[in-house]
Amino acid sequence: MERTDTLTTSEAPTRAALVARALGLRPDWKPSEHLGETLNYVTAWDQHSLNAIYVRTGGQVTTQLVTRTASDGTNYPATEITLTVPVPHVGDVHVVTDWNGDGGGIDLPIMRLIPAAELIA
């Protein structure tokens, strides 16, 4: 999954607005650098937020096992869920979140596409 932008500063507001509109985000949304976001890589708060985007846009859903680092420096495994949405004039936008078993939502439409065996509780 490539996380690069190919736009100039003058194009960024226009393309950011296209991404925001397509995903149903705030009209003034811009990528958060501290989260590693770009116009083609956006984070969702949780599986419920990701599902809201999926219901709005459709798209391809994939998962992968990743290792995250907690604030105390310890590593832990997580299941990253990625929704890939084609956005005209921007390209594929990958919206990601980690599965949170405590957050509920296993019955959400987006979660029905993922075999339970792929989820880390």
Side-chain angles (χ1 to χ4, degrees):
M1 190 172 1
E2 190 171 320
R3 293 171 38 168
T4 59
D5 295 325
T6 58
L7 50 105
T8 65
T9 303
S10 64
E11 293 173 316
T14 302
R15 290 204 178 162
L18 291 172
V19 171
R21 189 176 310 123
L23 301 182
L25 305 174
R26 298 182 330 269
D28 63 342
W29 175 87
K30 300 226 178 347
S32 296
E33 279 187 34
H34 71 282
L35 297 176
E37 290 184 332
T38 69
L39 293 178
N40 300 97
Y41 184 87
V42 178
T43 58
W45 182 255
D46 59 15
Q47 59 262 21
H48 297 276
S49 302
L50 188 65
N51 184 70
I53 295 170
Y54 172 74
V55 168
R56 176 185 178 91
T57 64
Q60 180 180 347
V61 179
T62 58
T63 61
Q64 66 177 342
L65 182 61
V66 296
T67 300
R68 300 291 189 223
T69 304
S71 58
D72 67 0
T74 59
N75 292 330
Y76 63 94
T79 301
E80 181 181 81
I81 306 167
T82 302
L83 170 63
T84 302
V85 179
V87 176
H89 308 291
V90 176
D92 284 348
V93 175
H94 307 283
V95 187
V96 301
T97 195
D98 287 351
W99 164 249
N100 176 358
D102 295 334
I106 194 72
D107 58 339
L108 294 169
I110 194 169
M111 299 308 298
R112 291 186 201 131
L113 301 172
I114 302 168
E118 293 182 17
L119 301 175
I120 295 175

